[in-house]
Amino acid sequence: MTAQLTEPRSTRPHGAMTAEMDRTDAFQIPDWTQLVSRIHDGDPAAMEELYGIFGKGIRYFLLRNLGADELDDKVHDCFVIVAQAIQNGELRDPARLMGFVRTVVKRQIAATIEAAVTRRRTQVDYQDTLFTLTDWKDDPERTLLNRQRAEIARRVMQGISRRDREILRRFYVEEQPQEKICEEMGLSYNQFRLLKSRAKARFGELGKRVASGLGLTFKKTL
Amino acid sequence: MDTKSGLHQSEDRLELYALGRLSGPEVEQIEEHLLMCHSCVDRLEGIGAFATAVREDLKAHVDPPRRGWAAWRLPSFALPAVFATALLTLGVFWTGTATRLPPSASLQLTAMRGDMQQVAPARETDLTLTDPPSTGAPFRLEVVDASGAGVWSGVGLAAKIHQRLSPGDYFVRLFSSQGQLLHEYGFHVN
């Protein structure tokens, strides 16, 4: 990957990069008041709509925070709590349904983590509770995916200049604000975004090749 | 169902969210959006994977210091002097800064249920198990962090970890000679 950075002629990036970097096109927000009213009235189709709207998002947050273990059950638990609250008239402001769902998911995550921490606090005799061992086992698929991503990242970083790595290091590792990086490294805002965008594109490209089984081999690390 | 329009999240905001750099109200706003926007969840997965992998790689692989032209123009006798000065500076820095941490911390782990033991951060940590099982020797110890990543392993009932442990929870696993997990102990580095 080349490390050449060119200043776009306009002050804003254009073309496909704009679509990728600034995705601000509109999407449709449901009428929460109507949906809540239908669920409150026991309309089964409304429950399906609720699941269709929030199912993927709830699954994402639970998976990200708790892992794949019993994921379907945890998603279902969240929906039961939300539906019961609506049917019992506990949701006072239907327009805040999103915030309520978020709170329910957060509480479920916190409760699950608290239960896990309590379970393994200080000393646990595994002769009595052997089943809890599974909590610590690595997920082989996730381990492989992480190893592949690490190798791809290594290749992407090897393909850019030392200066570009320094820029990315400042942003991703040292957590410097982009304004500070641009000022100290003599970059425009667009150059900074272009560098990140190119590295991401290369990362995605190599990831697709790995996913389709093409042309990448990885060092054995075990 | 009636709908109204909203806006998707920008790439920059999704990336800052993935890196955990947004403020509380910003997190709340973006998470509410992510709960109902499948498109942004898909984009976040890609952005998060990239940001995390690159951050880990950059942490793990530090570029060696650049050899500038000045290094080659120094007279040969200057190099030992530079080296000695650097050592002296390092020594001053080490005694002035690094020793803010105690050289070692000791922790005795006992098989009793209760709150997790706390230990102050130190350059080295000594762990001793005070009540080993009566059978199963020789024992093997394994120390892992809260994510399950290995920190130390060895044979015996004591561990001397020659590295500074980051703040967080750690778990000490005691295995029998047959590899059977006998006990797990926890401690917390402040």
Side-chain angles (χ1 to χ4, degrees):
Chain A
M1 182 176 175
T2 60
Q4 292 288 321
L5 287 175
T6 53
E7 176 75 44
R9 289 186 182 175
S10 67
T11 54
R12 289 183 56 77
H14 44 77
M17 202 170 72
T18 306
E20 175 60 25
M21 294 166 69
D22 274 326
R23 175 124 196 241
T24 52
D25 49 315
F27 77 109
Q28 300 303 306
I29 299 175
D31 182 337
W32 302 123
T33 305
Q34 194 185 75
L35 182 63
V36 166
S37 171
R38 287 169 55 210
I39 294 171
H40 184 262
D41 295 341
D43 179 356
M47 272 306 297
E48 279 185 34
E49 281 178 31
L50 186 77
Y51 202 97
I53 294 165
F54 290 117
K56 184 168 182 173
I58 290 177
R59 177 173 286 271
Y60 170 76
F61 281 110
L62 293 175
L63 181 65
R64 178 178 158 145
N65 288 280
L66 302 174
D69 195 32
E70 298 175 348
L71 183 60
D72 288 338
D73 289 348
K74 288 167 187 161
V75 172
H76 179 71
D77 288 348
C78 288
F79 273 104
V80 168
I81 293 168
V82 171
Q84 284 180 346
I86 293 172
Q87 284 162 354
N88 294 338
E90 293 166 14
L91 185 64
R92 289 178 189 145
D93 181 5
R96 289 293 304 142
L97 178 62
M98 280 185 307
F100 177 66
V101 172
R102 177 175 175 267
T103 302
V104 168
V105 173
K106 289 264 174 194
R107 282 186 189 154
Q108 286 294 98
I109 291 169
T112 306
I113 291 173
E114 192 178 337
V117 168
T118 303
R119 207 165 53 224
R120 58 173 118 262
R121 181 166 285 171
T122 310
Q123 183 267 340
V124 177
D125 187 341
Y126 280 100
Q127 289 172 338
D128 295 332
T129 57
L130 193 62
F131 62 91
T132 57
L133 268 174
T134 54
D135 291 352
W136 285 106
K137 278 185 182 166
D138 287 335
D139 177 346
E141 284 182 21
R142 191 182 298 176
T143 303
L144 177 65
L145 186 64
N146 288 340
R147 200 183 302 155
Q148 286 176 342
R149 283 175 176 168
E151 182 64 25
I152 292 169
R154 181 86 292 256
R155 289 181 183 218
V156 172
M157 290 301 104
Q158 283 174 343
I160 64 176
S161 72
R162 187 189 178 100
R163 181 173 182 275
D164 288 351
R165 276 199 301 275
E166 170 64 15
I167 293 164
L168 294 178
R169 177 189 305 284
R170 283 171 174 243
F171 183 74
Y172 288 109
V173 180
E174 296 171 16
E175 301 193 356
Q176 294 181 2
Q178 59 190 31
E179 295 79 12
K180 178 178 162 69
I181 299 169
C182 289
E183 186 186 336
E184 293 183 359
M185 301 295 285
L187 290 169
S188 71
Y189 180 56
N190 282 330
Q191 284 175 320
F192 177 74
R193 297 182 84 192
L194 192 58
L195 167 63
K196 282 200 300 173
S197 177
R198 282 177 175 167
K200 275 178 205 167
R202 180 71 177 142
F203 184 83
E205 180 191 319
L206 289 175
K208 281 180 189 162
R209 288 179 65 187
V210 170
S212 58
L214 291 176
L216 274 186
T217 56
F218 294 99
K219 283 181 283 187
K220 193 175 180 184
T221 55
L222 290 177
Chain B
M1 184 167 57
D2 292 340
T3 59
K4 57 182 178 180
S5 294
L7 293 177
H8 287 289
Q9 297 294 314
S10 72
E11 176 112 350
D12 282 351
R13 274 177 65 80
L14 287 173
E15 184 170 61
L16 291 174
Y17 173 74
L19 292 167
R21 288 198 227 162
L22 291 180
S23 65
E26 289 174 312
V27 168
E28 185 176 336
Q29 192 261 335
I30 200 169
E31 286 185 345
E32 288 184 7
H33 176 84
L34 289 168
L35 271 170
M36 62 176 176
C37 181
H38 302 180
S39 163
C40 283
V41 166
D42 289 339
R43 290 167 63 220
L44 175 63
E45 284 180 347
I47 291 167
F50 168 80
T52 308
V54 166
R55 179 170 59 185
E56 293 310 309
D57 181 78
L58 289 169
K59 271 185 192 173
H61 301 95
V62 180
D63 284 332
R66 198 188 295 264
R67 294 195 70 177
W69 61 271
W72 300 103
R73 299 186 60 165
L74 286 173
S76 58
F77 67 84
L79 288 175
V82 168
F83 183 64
T85 308
L87 273 182
L88 188 63
T89 308
L90 191 63
V92 170
F93 176 80
W94 188 258
T95 52
T97 308
T99 52
R100 284 178 196 159
L101 286 178
S104 67
S106 295
L107 194 61
Q108 293 194 335
L109 295 170
T110 307
M112 288 177 62
R113 292 173 190 273
D115 288 337
M116 195 176 267
Q117 287 195 63
Q118 312 274 322
V119 63
R123 279 183 271 153
E124 292 182 351
T125 303
D126 290 335
L127 301 173
T128 307
L129 305 189
T130 59
D131 53 351
S134 52
T135 59
F139 302 105
R140 188 171 66 81
L141 276 183
E142 189 178 89
V143 181
V144 299
D145 63 18
S147 66
V151 173
W152 184 93
S153 66
V155 177
L157 290 168
K160 191 171 184 70
I161 304 169
H162 296 281
Q163 67 181 75
R164 180 186 173 184
L165 297 178
S166 305
D169 293 338
Y170 292 84
F171 300 95
V172 183
R173 295 167 180 171
L174 179 67
F175 294 89
S176 70
S177 55
Q178 285 80 38
Q180 183 190 7
L181 182 57
L182 301 172
H183 293 294
E184 184 179 69
Y185 304 77
F187 68 95
H188 180 84
V189 177
N190 295 317

